Amino acid sequence: MIPEEFKNIAPYEDDEILSAIRRVLQHKEALYFICSKIAPDVDFKDFVELSLSIKSVEEYQMKIGIPMLMRILNNSTEAGLTCEGFDQLEPHGRYLFVSNHRDITLDAAMFIKSLYRFNLDPCEIAFGDNLIANPLIGELARINRMFPILRGGTRREFYQASLLVSKYIRYCLTEKNKSVWIAQRNGRTKNGDDRTEPGLMKMFSMSGTGDFVEDMDKLHIVPVAISYENEPCANSKIYEQLVNSRGEKYSKSPNEDMMSVMRGILEQKGAMHITVCKPLSREEIEQCAVGTTQGALNDSFVALSELIDRRIHNGYHLFQSNLDAYEKLKDFEPTVPPTREELMLQLYANPVINKQGR
């Protein structure tokens, strides 16, 4: 039984799944559009009938979620999805997976698919509450074991929301017996330079005892590196950077998140690779611990973030697209503001630079 304080953010349980599916099916036109793009050969009436027969979250994953992901892989990748490092995970172990973030939905979705592939327990997924603005996506998210990270509001509201998510993550790991996947930063990496926000480490600690080492060690943090041969939504990421480089404030258009979800699903990605990096050890966390004052704790959060970054940078699978961009960027004459070509080269070259430790 989920504690009352988590009811508004927790993914749906088995006894809630059918009601949620019925709410999803009320968005008939949007759902028909999504299904027609992902599975054009499936009769929509058959899809609706199958959906209404679902009785559990696991059944939804096996009959709808995983088959849809397989279609996405087959339709939008040439070499498919390759993986490494999953053999480090215990079959029923509980982990906090901290991952780089390149695509709104596919990063976590393909990670979940890989857990199934290696006969590991599925995990819950943290996602930005900006997706809740779209009722259909919000419902589909909670059906698919996702919970929102609430942002915005006053300083006090932000603190309370962060504390709630921190408590829920620790509840999942220690009482609900579920692993959790979370992106290393707020929003996708736009320039290929994957960096963990120290504020995320601070959020993890909010539900702890105040002992930095003990609190972080109990989370069993495992960094994850997700790589794409062709960067998802590259053109829109470059456009956002161009706007910001001119000193203008980039503002999202209505339904932009929904369109980014669809572009990420449908655009050709070439190949994908997921690396489960070496879990953080207690000894490494102890080395990150600086002291107990607030300033020292902040330094500890930074040190832990940098440790995760090194794991992700080393685990990032470099494709030829990354190597070619790196070679071209070495001879590229930078400009202010940067050109579209320069930003595109940086997007692909930065993983090479990071892996070299520069």
Side-chain angles (χ1 to χ4, degrees):
M1 191 68 159
I2 298 294
E4 190 63 32
E5 65 177 323
F6 302 135
K7 281 290 187 180
N8 290 332
I9 66 169
Y12 293 131
E13 297 290 302
D14 289 346
D15 60 351
E16 301 172 300
I17 196 75
L18 185 55
S19 294
I21 288 173
R22 285 173 175 159
R23 289 194 294 272
V24 164
L25 294 176
Q26 291 176 3
H27 302 272
K28 186 175 181 179
E29 291 185 6
L31 191 62
Y32 177 81
F33 172 76
I34 295 172
C35 291
S36 67
K37 295 297 184 181
I38 299 176
D41 58 321
V42 174
D43 184 273
F44 188 67
K45 289 183 179 179
D46 292 340
F47 172 79
V48 170
E49 186 176 332
L50 173 62
S51 298
L52 291 172
S53 72
I54 300 295
K55 295 180 176 60
S56 70
V57 175
E58 184 67 16
E59 186 181 6
Y60 181 90
Q61 291 292 316
M62 299 310 297
K63 291 185 176 180
I64 295 180
I66 298 300
M68 284 291 187
L69 290 177
M70 289 303 302
R71 286 175 177 274
I72 292 170
L73 270 179
N74 293 335
N75 294 337
S76 67
T77 66
E78 295 177 2
L81 171 66
T82 53
C83 302
E84 62 179 300
F86 282 84
D87 57 342
Q88 301 176 88
L89 305 177
E90 296 292 332
H92 300 295
R94 297 296 169 249
Y95 306 97
L96 177 55
F97 299 107
V98 179
S99 172
N100 64 332
H101 190 26
R102 298 303 183 93
D103 184 80
I104 292 178
T105 57
L106 288 189
D107 294 347
M110 292 304 168
F111 183 76
I112 292 292
K113 177 195 172 298
S114 301
L115 291 176
Y116 275 104
R117 172 184 168 186
F118 290 97
N119 296 315
L120 297 165
D121 292 340
C123 66
E124 294 194 5
I125 302 163
F127 71 100
D129 68 342
N130 55 301
L131 294 181
I132 298 178
N134 184 299
L136 173 59
I137 299 300
E139 289 287 358
L140 287 172
R142 294 182 70 185
I143 287 173
N144 284 282
R145 294 194 176 99
M146 301 174 75
F147 63 91
I149 296 181
L150 307 176
R151 305 188 183 112
T154 65
R155 178 176 295 184
R156 178 172 177 77
E157 288 170 339
F158 179 76
Y159 173 83
Q160 292 295 335
S162 298
L163 177 60
L164 179 65
V165 171
S166 180
K167 290 168 68 176
Y168 182 70
I169 290 173
R170 200 170 291 272
Y171 166 77
C172 283
L173 295 168
T174 61
E175 297 186 49
K176 197 177 181 182
N177 207 26
K178 293 284 187 182
S179 295
V180 173
W181 180 99
I182 191 169
Q184 66 180 168
R185 49 169 291 143
N186 177 1
R188 296 167 294 166
T189 302
K190 305 297 196 307
N191 62 359
D193 185 14
D194 299 310
R195 299 287 169 180
T196 304
E197 291 181 346
L200 184 66
M201 304 298 107
K202 184 177 181 179
M203 188 266 281
F204 292 159
S205 74
M206 292 173 70
S207 58
T209 63
D211 184 320
F212 175 83
V213 174
E214 195 67 28
D215 291 341
M216 294 302 176
D217 185 46
K218 285 184 176 179
L219 294 176
H220 305 292
I221 298 173
V222 178
V224 174
I226 299 179
S227 319
Y228 294 83
E229 183 178 11
N230 299 327
E231 184 72 18
C233 302
N235 289 326
S236 60
K237 291 178 181 179
I238 297 304
Y239 176 72
E240 181 175 339
Q241 291 183 77
L242 284 171
V243 171
N244 291 332
S245 70
R246 297 195 296 261
E248 304 171 18
K249 182 175 175 57
Y250 179 80
S251 299
K252 289 183 180 181
S253 60
N255 293 321
E256 182 170 336
D257 287 324
M258 179 63 174
M259 295 308 298
S260 293
V261 167
M262 292 307 298
R263 280 197 298 269
I265 288 173
L266 298 174
E267 286 180 355
Q268 291 298 312
K269 289 165 279 294
M272 291 179 60
H273 187 86
I274 298 178
T275 302
V276 172
C277 307
K278 181 182 177 183
L280 304 191
S281 68
R282 185 182 181 90
E283 290 72 23
E284 289 174 314
I285 295 173
E286 288 173 345
Q287 291 171 7
C288 292
V290 177
T292 58
T293 66
Q294 187 56 54
L297 277 175
N298 289 337
D299 290 340
S300 298
F301 298 142
V302 170
L304 191 60
S305 299
E306 292 175 347
L307 173 59
I308 293 171
D309 289 346
R310 289 194 294 273
R311 287 280 210 278
I312 291 175
H313 294 164
N314 289 331
Y316 194 96
H317 179 83
L318 298 177
F319 292 101
Q320 194 61 45
S321 55
N322 302 114
L323 301 173
D324 290 345
Y326 173 72
E327 290 301 321
K328 291 180 181 179
L329 190 63
K330 286 195 298 186
D331 300 323
F332 200 87
E333 191 66 34
T335 61
V336 179
T339 64
R340 180 184 182 82
E341 182 182 4
E342 182 180 358
L343 291 173
M344 187 66 78
L345 289 175
Q346 289 175 352
L347 176 63
Y348 283 92
N350 274 331
V352 182
I353 296 170
N354 286 338
K355 196 157 191 172
Q356 293 174 340
R358 295 193 303 170

